[in-house]
Amino acid sequence: MTITQLQYVIAVDTHKSFAQAAVHCYVSQPALSMQIKKIEDELGILIFDRSKKPILTTDIGDKIIAHARVIVHEINRMPELIKEQKDEIKGILRIGIIPTLSPYLLPLFVNHFITKYPDVNLSFQELLSENILDSLNKDLLDVGILVTPIKHNSMIEIPLFYEGFVLYGHPSAPLMKRQSVDVNDLNINEMWLLKKGHCFRTQSINICSGQPSDTRRVKFDSGSLETLKKIVESRSGYTLLPELAIKDMDEKHKANVRTFKTPIPLREVSMVMHRSFVKRRLIELLRDEILEQIPEKMKNKDRGKLVEVSDKS
């Protein structure tokens, strides 16, 4: 059994396809299939059920692959240890980030980071939280930036900052007559929400202490807060936005913003890594750069009340 064979097995489990795994591993499909067959024969088990499309991993295969990932993670850690010892700051950092953070957070730190560390390449993927966690588990990402706590045994969470929620409303919305809004006055049926799967949607619902009903005549499933802003501006009602979304907003649009009375609702934003993560130095530098660019008040957890990420339904 070789490290290369273990890498092939992990690739097939990740991509659920021998063909795609072969492309990922830069090897022909017959060669990859032959090596996986060898390891199955050596162990006397079937790792993959090839009769299914997409390919399924067997129960014993799941256990074998879990151990294989640990072994390969540890092997990959060796070059990183050498770089750290030599104090070399170079390499690729693969980062997953949720859509309600990426357009507002990335512009704050990316240019600063790549200027400071010209030998580091940043590769970002905008994904939902569950997809980030899945990619971290499969070693397709090095770190995720998302809302926590996620309470996942295989993951490490490092809180970065605590972002407040604000209300963005149409001028005709009754709540817009106030300078600040109480969360108890929110009406879920007047609020435009992101589509299911977004943690920001779940938190918006949890702020209202209830679930959305079907009383609205017009509904719109969107994965973009910017789209919801446009709907509010052109139609009616209101939506919730993260605090960073209004940081560079012009005065015209800021007139549509209302803050919440204390304790303001907050979301905890963290860096999340698999427990066997390897690029420790690069991740530390990324954390430091983000914290350097974040407004100081957003590092204070006590300025508001954390909203649950879990779905109460």
Side-chain angles (χ1 to χ4, degrees):
M1 187 185 308
T2 68
I3 296 299
T4 299
Q5 288 174 328
L6 294 180
Q7 289 172 329
Y8 290 170
V9 166
I10 291 169
V12 173
D13 179 65
T14 298
H15 297 282
K16 302 302 181 187
S17 162
F18 278 80
Q20 291 181 32
V23 171
H24 176 78
C25 295
Y26 302 100
V27 66
S28 69
Q29 183 176 337
L32 179 139
S33 298
M34 181 181 68
Q35 291 302 318
I36 290 178
K37 184 66 168 59
K38 280 185 178 180
I39 197 171
E40 287 179 322
D41 290 343
E42 180 180 341
L43 295 173
I45 60 164
L46 280 179
I47 298 175
F48 300 108
D49 182 350
R50 295 160 174 79
S51 67
K52 307 293 184 182
K53 299 293 181 183
I55 290 168
L56 293 181
T57 307
T58 64
D59 290 342
I60 186 62
D62 281 331
K63 295 176 181 178
I64 295 298
I65 290 167
H67 283 287
R69 290 188 186 279
V70 172
I71 293 168
V72 172
H73 270 299
E74 291 303 314
I75 293 295
N76 291 340
R77 176 71 179 135
M78 290 182 183
E80 295 300 322
L81 287 171
I82 294 170
K83 286 181 184 178
E84 290 173 11
Q85 184 66 31
K86 294 180 178 179
D87 202 26
E88 293 182 355
I89 302 174
K90 61 172 60 176
I92 299 174
L93 195 57
R94 303 165 300 169
I95 306 161
I97 184 167
I98 57 175
T100 57
L101 273 171
S102 60
Y104 316 117
L105 180 60
L106 296 188
L108 295 183
F109 74 85
V110 169
N111 285 339
H112 293 278
F113 187 93
I114 61 176
T115 299
K116 283 184 182 179
Y117 310 110
D119 293 325
V120 178
N121 294 325
L122 301 180
S123 175
F124 290 97
Q125 290 188 53
E126 189 177 84
L127 300 166
L128 296 179
S129 296
E130 62 180 298
N131 301 125
I132 290 176
L133 296 176
D134 182 59
S135 294
L136 287 170
N137 193 51
K138 293 177 177 177
D139 196 30
L140 299 176
L141 292 173
D142 299 308
V143 61
I145 305 176
L146 59 154
V147 174
T148 52
I150 55 171
K151 300 176 182 177
H152 199 297
N153 290 336
S154 65
M155 301 294 167
I156 297 172
E157 302 174 23
I158 302 177
L160 293 171
F161 57 90
Y162 303 91
E163 185 176 26
F165 289 73
V166 298
L167 182 141
Y168 190 81
H170 189 276
S172 66
L175 289 180
M176 296 300 289
K177 296 177 182 178
R178 310 175 188 183
Q179 291 302 309
S180 59
V181 178
D182 192 305
V183 293
N184 295 319
D185 295 327
L186 295 175
N187 182 344
I188 198 73
N189 291 307
E190 296 176 1
M191 187 184 300
W192 296 96
L193 298 166
L194 290 173
K195 63 184 178 181
K196 291 182 178 180
H198 289 265
C199 59
F200 196 85
R201 171 195 171 94
T202 301
Q203 289 187 301
S204 296
I205 293 171
N206 289 344
I207 288 173
C208 297
S209 299
Q211 298 296 318
S213 64
D214 293 327
T215 61
R216 286 177 296 171
R217 294 176 60 196
V218 178
K219 295 184 179 181
F220 185 82
D221 276 342
S222 174
S224 165
L225 288 174
E226 294 301 310
T227 301
L228 294 187
K229 281 172 55 184
K230 295 293 185 184
I231 293 175
V232 167
E233 292 164 8
S234 63
R235 187 171 176 81
S236 62
Y238 47 83
T239 191
L240 299 185
L241 297 177
E243 192 173 2
L244 285 177
I246 65 170
K247 186 176 183 296
D248 295 321
M249 192 178 284
D250 60 40
E251 293 304 316
K252 175 184 175 182
H253 291 92
K254 278 186 178 178
N256 297 330
V257 174
R258 295 293 182 271
T259 56
F260 284 100
K261 296 178 181 179
T262 56
I264 65 173
L266 298 174
R267 65 174 182 168
E268 179 183 76
V269 176
S270 300
M271 298 177 69
V272 177
M273 296 79 64
H274 193 277
R275 288 194 175 276
S276 56
F277 73 104
V278 296
K279 299 178 182 178
R280 299 172 189 269
R281 180 60 175 152
L282 293 183
I283 290 173
E284 288 173 359
L285 293 174
L286 180 69
R287 176 201 61 198
D288 293 345
E289 189 60 41
I290 292 173
L291 289 176
E292 188 173 323
Q293 304 304 326
I294 287 295
E296 198 64 32
K297 67 176 181 178
M298 292 177 64
K299 301 172 189 177
N300 180 12
K301 182 179 181 179
D302 298 327
R303 69 192 182 105
K305 181 180 179 182
L306 289 179
V307 182
E308 288 187 38
V309 185
S310 59
D311 194 334
K312 293 180 179 180
S313 59

